[in-house]
């Protein structure tokens, strides 16, 4: 739908935030050009399109840039009104979906990201793992309440919160391997474990979701080893 | 709408609570306000916002909505068709409004904290002024599209006006506390007149905390807390 040149997405296959935009575009069957940024350098187009943050993802539609992953997902939902609705229709359900998506960005992701910086420091790692597990526990409970027995937070189909969380799945699996711990697993988050299975099989997701191994290799090549513990 | 249906848990100094009050006023929604004592949070607050235990919380028909900008969007959608639209109608304009509101939440409070912790050091003041200059430029861009209208939202206050305008009290207190100018003719002339239009708007003017009271509160309670956390 739409000429390919009309829609561009500046991003990277490793970014959980870019992943959200890709899933949303796929869900709406939108043809787009994916402009993969090179690790460690920012293209002129990125700097020009997002001068404030200089970050990916940036969606460019009719030459106008839209920045911030959740803003992009909402823009996609509101601009392409065919296909499944990403936000639920009821205002209260929308507020709940937005609340948890904001929680992911404000609380959950910082804990998930920063555990890498304390790798090798037993106590600090335990603290971070506890935070991550608590967050996943809250999300597991939320899934039960919100999905009401359906496969996704959005119900029968992927919705806003599914998309918001989708980008973190592979990175959670990276942490599971690196720290030898179960995070998204039937023994720890039984409902989310099923959700991961449903998500990974979904047509909008299955061809683009990275493997934990591929991400671990990318980290090794581009970020090097984690920093030594501060003394 | 029966008053009992809508309840706002908040506190008078909070800019985030102010956002919700303004949105409710824009939509002429009757509501009950419960002033929370932040030293001892009510059971209702803790039950309604177990994740953060923070104000504001809007209760509509007993159902809680949390996070100020999410509440503002909820109000816009639940009372759509009454009063002005808070979010613009065009998807691109909505994306721009959401982008800058997120920027306000991301940058302004940390920049204020930076000034407090550094006791008004010029470099930190400069950081906040740069944030405000970007917002000035965003306003100019909007205005040139909308032919010099008074608000980010156009003729009427909208989402970004509410997001940024609610922080004016804190910005004024910071100016007074450290004897600096943050919004001024020299660097942010359009925002200076915008601030005036915002603060005199009927949905806003009776909700603004008393400046003197706010100054004392911020000095006595907020700044020490900021310094304690360093």
């Amino acid at each position: 739908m739409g000429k390919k040149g009309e829609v561009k997405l500046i991003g990277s296959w490793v970014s959980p935030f870019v992943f959200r935009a890709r899933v949303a575009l796929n869900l709406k069957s939108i043809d787009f050009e994916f402009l993969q940024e090179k690790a460690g350098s920012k293209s002129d187009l990125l700097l020009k399109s997002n001068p404030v943050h200089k970050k990916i993802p940036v969606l460019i539609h009719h030459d106008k840039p839209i920045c911030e992953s959740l803003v992009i997902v909402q823009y996609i939902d509101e601009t392409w009104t065919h296909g499944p609705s990403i936000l639920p229709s009821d205002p209260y359900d929308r507020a709940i979906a937005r609340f948890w998506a904001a929680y992911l960005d404000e609380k959950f992701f910082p804990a998930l990201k920063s555990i890498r910086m304390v790798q090798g420091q037993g106590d600090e790692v335990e603290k971070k793992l506890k935070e991550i597990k608590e967050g996943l526990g809250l999300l597991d409970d939320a899934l039960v309440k919100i999905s009401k027995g359906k496969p996704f937070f959005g119900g029968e189909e992927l919705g806003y919160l599914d998309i918001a969380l989708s980008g973190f799945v592979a990175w959670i699996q990276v942490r599971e391997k690196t720290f030898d711990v179960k995070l998204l697993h039937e023994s720890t988050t039984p409902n989310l474990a099923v959700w991961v299975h449903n998500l990974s099989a979904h047509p909008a997701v299955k061809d683009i979701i990275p493997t934990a191994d591929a991400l671990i290799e990318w980290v090794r090549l581009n970020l090097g080893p984690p920093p030594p513990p501060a003394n | 709408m029966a008053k009992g249906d809508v309840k706002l848990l908040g506190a008078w100094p909070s800019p985030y609570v102010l956002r919700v009050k303004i949105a409710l006023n824009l939509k002429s929604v009757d509501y009950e306000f419960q002033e929370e004592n932040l030293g001892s949070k009510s059971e209702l607050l803790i039950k309604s916002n177990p994740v953060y235990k923070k104000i504001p919380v809007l209760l509509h028909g007993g159902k809680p909505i949390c996070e100020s900008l999410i509440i503002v969007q909820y109000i816009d959608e639940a009372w759509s068709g009454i009063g002005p639209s808070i979010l613009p109608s065009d998807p691109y304009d909505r994306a721009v409004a959401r982008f800058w509101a997120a920027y306000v939440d991301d940058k302004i409070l940390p920049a204020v904290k930076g000034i407090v912790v550094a006791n008004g050091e010029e470099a930190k003041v400069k950081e906040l002024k740069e944030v405000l200059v970007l917002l000035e430029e965003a306003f100019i861009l909007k205005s040139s599209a909308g032919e010099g209208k008074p608000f980010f939202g156009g003729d009427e206050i909208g989402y970004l006006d509410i997001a940024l305008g609610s922080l004016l009290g804190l910005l004024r207190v910071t100016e007074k506390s450290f004897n600096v100018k943050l919004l001024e003719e020299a660097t942010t002339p359009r925002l200076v007149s915008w601030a005036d239009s915002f603060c005199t708007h009927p949905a806003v003017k009776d909700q603004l905390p008393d400046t003197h009271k706010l100054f004392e509160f911020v000095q006595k309670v907020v700044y020490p807390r900021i310094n304690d956390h360093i």
Side-chain angles (χ1 to χ4, degrees):
Chain A
M1 174 88 42
K3 289 200 292 281
K4 201 164 183 171
E6 250 176 45
V7 184
K8 297 179 168 55
L9 180 67
I10 309 177
S12 162
W13 66 274
V14 309
S15 162
F17 303 101
V18 172
F19 192 77
R20 291 168 169 174
R22 294 167 78 192
V23 173
L25 289 165
N26 285 354
L27 201 59
K28 299 280 197 178
S29 306
I30 298 163
D31 267 336
F32 66 99
E33 197 184 335
F34 186 53
L35 300 170
Q36 169 77 39
E37 287 283 304
K38 265 189 6 212
S41 79
K42 294 178 195 229
S43 68
D44 280 347
L45 182 62
L46 173 60
L47 296 174
K48 189 185 89 167
S49 308
N50 191 357
V52 175
H53 299 299
K54 305 175 177 55
K55 280 182 173 178
I56 48 170
V58 179
L59 185 77
I60 303 180
H61 186 210
H62 296 310
D63 295 320
K64 294 199 285 194
I66 301 104
C67 310
E68 295 296 286
S69 64
L70 294 178
V71 175
I72 292 171
V73 170
Q74 290 184 90
Y75 175 82
I76 290 167
D77 197 30
E78 292 165 1
T79 302
W80 287 277
T81 50
H82 66 278
S85 265
I86 294 176
L87 265 292
S89 47
D90 174 73
Y92 188 73
D93 295 338
R94 290 158 78 95
I96 296 296
R98 285 175 173 140
F99 174 87
W100 285 111
Y103 172 83
L104 285 175
D105 284 0
E106 274 152 46
K107 291 275 175 219
F108 183 74
F109 181 65
L112 187 71
K113 184 176 180 186
S114 63
I115 194 173
R116 182 174 184 268
M117 304 311 260
V118 299
Q119 195 169 341
Q121 305 165 46
D123 275 349
E124 291 302 312
V125 168
E126 279 316 305
K127 253 195 238 170
K128 294 273 176 201
L129 281 177
K130 186 163 176 271
E131 259 186 85
I132 293 169
K133 285 177 185 175
E134 274 169 4
L136 287 170
L138 286 178
L139 289 159
D140 199 69
D141 287 341
L143 177 59
V144 173
K145 283 200 191 93
I146 294 169
S147 68
K148 301 190 182 63
K150 305 256 168 83
F152 300 111
F153 288 96
E156 293 295 348
E157 184 51 276
L158 294 181
Y160 186 70
L161 185 49
D162 301 282
I163 292 174
L165 183 54
S166 68
F168 296 136
V169 168
W171 281 105
I172 293 168
Q173 291 166 343
V174 167
R175 297 302 186 233
E176 284 180 324
K177 288 197 167 197
T178 310
F179 294 92
D180 191 27
V181 63
K182 289 188 171 60
L183 295 170
L184 274 178
H185 191 266
E186 61 189 7
S187 59
T188 52
T189 53
N191 303 286
L192 280 177
V194 174
W195 174 86
V196 169
H197 178 79
N198 293 334
L199 176 84
S200 309
H202 191 287
V205 173
K206 69 185 189 343
D207 295 331
I208 57 170
I209 192 164
T211 62
D213 285 335
L215 290 175
I216 288 171
E217 181 60 13
W218 182 90
V219 170
R220 193 186 69 80
L221 286 173
N222 292 289
L223 300 183
N231 281 322
Chain B
M1 172 79 58
K3 202 170 181 172
D5 276 357
V6 185
K7 191 168 182 165
L8 174 61
L9 308 180
W12 67 267
S14 164
Y16 305 104
V17 171
L18 180 59
R19 289 171 171 176
V20 178
K21 287 179 170 178
I22 294 168
L24 289 166
N25 284 356
L26 278 174
K27 297 291 197 177
S28 307
V29 175
D30 268 336
Y31 65 98
E32 189 191 327
F33 184 68
Q34 178 168 305
E35 181 83 31
E36 286 286 325
N37 178 342
L38 297 178
S40 78
K41 299 180 184 190
S42 74
E43 268 185 51
L44 182 58
L45 173 58
I46 296 173
K47 190 185 89 171
S48 307
N49 190 357
V51 175
Y52 297 110
K53 303 176 179 60
K54 279 183 171 180
I55 47 152
V57 177
L58 187 76
L59 289 149
H60 188 197
K63 297 200 286 192
I65 303 106
C66 310
E67 296 294 284
S68 64
L69 292 180
I70 292 176
I71 299 172
V72 170
Q73 289 187 86
Y74 173 81
I75 291 167
D76 198 29
E77 292 164 4
W79 285 276
S80 69
I82 298 175
S85 264
I86 297 175
L87 265 291
S89 48
D90 174 73
Y92 186 74
D93 293 339
R94 290 159 78 92
V96 172
R98 285 174 173 140
F99 173 86
W100 286 111
Y103 178 79
V104 164
D105 273 358
D106 210 24
K107 299 286 179 192
I108 292 193
L109 210 58
V112 168
K113 283 183 185 169
I115 294 173
V116 173
V117 166
N119 207 25
E121 176 195 277
E122 206 183 314
K124 290 294 172 185
V125 173
K126 189 160 174 273
E127 274 181 41
L128 179 47
K129 288 178 89 158
E130 281 168 359
V131 168
L132 294 168
V133 165
L134 280 189
L135 287 159
E136 167 89 2
E137 287 168 9
F139 187 83
I140 290 169
L141 228 77
K142 269 259 90 193
S143 304
S144 60
E147 289 142 36
K149 305 260 166 127
F151 300 111
F152 287 96
D155 284 318
E156 185 50 274
I157 62 175
Y159 188 69
L160 181 52
D161 300 282
I162 293 172
L164 180 59
S166 61
L167 292 169
L168 284 169
L170 182 63
L171 291 176
R172 299 272 182 253
V173 167
T174 307
E175 286 179 330
K176 190 170 172 189
S177 304
F178 299 101
N179 199 26
V180 294
K181 281 253 158 250
L182 297 168
L183 280 180
E184 55 178 341
E185 286 295 329
T187 50
T188 54
R190 304 296 297 277
L191 286 184
V192 168
S193 45
W194 164 83
D196 195 58
S197 306
F198 181 82
C199 293
T200 52
H201 188 286
V204 176
K205 66 185 197 316
D206 296 329
Q207 308 304 320
L208 296 173
D210 173 78
T211 331
H212 185 71
K213 238 181 126 188
L214 187 65
F215 179 76
E216 287 205 339
F217 179 83
V218 172
Q219 293 280 318
K220 282 203 186 109
V221 179
V222 179
Y223 286 172
R225 230 178 246 170
I226 291 174
N227 280 313
D228 281 347
H229 285 150
I230 304 309

